[in-house]
Amino acid sequence: MNGKRWLALLIAAGLFLISIGVQFATSLASTNFENVFGQQDELFNETVVESGNSGNKIAVLPLEGVIQDTGSGSLLNNSGYNHQNFLRMLEKAGEDKSIDGIILRVNTPGGGVVESAEIHDKIVEIQENTDKPVYVSMGNTAASGGYYVSAPADKIIANAATLTGSIGVIMESINYAELAEEYGIDFNTIKSGKYKDIMSGSRPMTEDEEAILQTMVDELYDEFVQVIVDGRGIEEATVRELGDGRVYTGKQALDNQLIDGLGTLDDTIAMMEEDNELGEAQVVQYETGFHFDQLLGMTAKSFFGSDMKLAGLRELIRESDAPRAMYLYSR
């Protein structure tokens, strides 16, 4: 490589670094650092949404997005639902003696079985260890895992047009065996037992394998049914009749005793105040804090654009390759 080519390469590299610097500086300039780093130890902020004058305090915890523990450390994971952070929010609201009531603002199609169970158990723990009421205000969607985590609440309020229900379990995978055969693609699999590659996308599923997975789904469905029986006080037979996977509007859910009333978040706050003699309480909302890895992720996405989206798609494909049971409303 001659001197001119080396010079051109160095100039290109310099422009690349300058571009990244500009993107990074722009993100820094548009960020409110008082909110970003003000409460880093808590990983979330507390914002007053209603001042109140009674000395009582209600905490609103937003639960939005697919309920899944995506972990941290990836530049792609810089927004959306953060499972560990939401569990910390619940724990903080339960332990904070200044909080007199908790409202979950649920807007989710559901998600992972384990993650949904962890939220459910944390709510039950708060109810058992404190005298704080826990209400749920449903948003556009509070289905499957969204209903699972709502079931133990002392009161559930939804909009008439909310989509809820979807009581059930789903397990899916992509089977590309016929496509691979059409293009002459062979798969070499070495396994220790005949079920080690169960639900593999490279071959059809056997009847035995389907029976094994159906047993797992049925067991998890039984757990879902019991959560509703315990939380809502509805007969098991009724829950199973309602729990065929369909979604209900808020009005239909009320008619079937899956919720307690229709209304907005403001209505839910007013109900909690009246039901529990909290007067005109101060209302605070817990909000996910903004962190340095999120800033890096936003900068990378802004710079690399479609390449980052493609990397995210590849990550989703890798995750979907493994069998996973979900409490998820799938459209």
Side-chain angles (χ1 to χ4, degrees):
M1 186 178 291
N2 58 37
K4 290 183 177 180
R5 289 185 177 180
W6 275 113
L7 180 60
L9 182 62
L10 289 173
I11 292 174
L15 291 173
F16 176 77
L17 293 174
I18 290 172
S19 298
I20 291 180
V22 170
Q23 294 283 352
F24 188 73
T26 301
S27 297
L28 288 175
S30 62
T31 300
N32 185 336
F33 283 93
E34 182 178 355
N35 291 332
V36 171
F37 299 110
Q39 299 185 21
Q40 284 291 297
D41 58 327
E42 295 292 354
L43 299 180
F44 54 88
N45 305 320
E46 183 179 297
T47 302
V48 176
V49 293
E50 289 185 20
S51 56
N53 56 24
S54 66
N56 298 315
K57 191 174 180 181
I58 295 172
V60 177
L61 281 60
L63 198 174
E64 300 201 11
V66 178
I67 303 172
Q68 57 183 344
D69 192 351
T70 57
S72 60
S74 169
L75 289 180
L76 297 174
N77 181 34
N78 57 65
S79 62
Y81 176 76
N82 185 315
H83 183 60
Q84 296 304 321
N85 204 21
F86 186 77
L87 291 178
R88 291 189 188 100
M89 286 185 186
L90 273 173
E91 187 173 353
K92 173 67 183 301
E95 294 177 349
D96 189 341
K97 290 182 170 51
S98 70
I99 299 296
D100 300 290
I102 301 170
I103 296 176
L104 272 61
R105 177 62 173 175
V106 179
N107 188 20
T108 173
V113 167
V114 172
E115 293 93 332
S116 299
E118 287 178 339
I119 295 173
H120 169 276
D121 293 348
K122 184 66 69 174
I123 293 171
V124 172
E125 179 183 323
I126 290 172
Q127 292 171 319
E128 291 178 347
N129 296 337
T130 74
D131 58 356
K132 299 178 184 182
V134 179
Y135 284 19
V136 164
S137 169
M138 292 182 168
N140 289 321
T141 306
S144 203
Y147 188 76
Y148 185 103
V149 303
S150 301
D154 298 291
K155 185 169 284 189
I156 303 174
I157 307 300
N159 187 280
T162 295
L163 292 182
T164 188
S166 187
I167 299 165
V169 188
I170 188 168
M171 183 182 287
E172 292 182 314
S173 69
I174 299 173
N175 188 285
Y176 42 81
E178 291 186 11
L179 180 64
E181 183 178 355
E182 180 179 346
Y183 285 92
I185 300 173
D186 294 324
F187 297 91
N188 298 314
T189 303
I190 311 299
K191 54 186 180 179
S192 58
K194 65 178 182 178
Y195 298 125
K196 184 60 180 174
D197 63 341
I198 193 169
M199 217 172 184
S200 170
S202 64
R203 62 174 179 79
M205 185 182 300
T206 68
E207 292 183 1
D208 286 347
E209 290 172 332
E210 185 174 349
I212 290 171
L213 295 174
Q214 187 63 57
T215 300
M216 295 168 57
V217 168
D218 291 344
E219 180 181 322
L220 294 170
Y221 175 70
D222 290 344
E223 172 65 24
F224 201 154
V225 169
Q226 192 60 47
V227 160
I228 299 172
V229 170
D230 294 339
R232 298 295 302 168
I234 305 175
E235 293 292 331
E236 180 179 336
T238 302
V239 175
R240 290 185 180 275
E241 183 179 349
L242 295 170
D244 58 3
R246 78 181 71 183
V247 291
Y248 299 93
T249 65
K251 186 177 183 303
Q252 292 171 339
L254 179 61
D255 292 340
N256 287 294
Q257 299 182 318
L258 292 173
I259 66 173
D260 299 291
L262 300 177
T264 64
L265 174 59
D266 288 340
D267 294 329
T268 308
I269 293 170
M271 289 179 193
M272 175 170 281
E273 290 174 337
E274 182 177 354
D275 295 345
N276 301 277
E277 299 182 352
L278 296 180
E280 295 183 9
Q282 180 188 60
V283 181
V284 299
Q285 179 167 307
Y286 289 178
E287 298 175 343
T288 301
F290 193 94
H291 304 287
F292 192 68
D293 59 342
Q294 291 177 289
L295 185 61
L296 289 175
M298 289 176 62
T299 303
K301 279 189 175 181
S302 177
F303 184 81
F304 292 106
S306 59
D307 289 340
M308 292 291 287
K309 292 180 181 178
L310 180 59
L313 179 60
R314 288 172 178 165
E315 186 173 327
L316 287 175
I317 291 174
R318 283 196 298 270
E319 289 179 358
S320 66
D321 197 37
R324 186 183 185 192
M326 305 283 282
Y327 294 142
L328 183 67
Y329 168 41
S330 182
R331 290 171 287 182

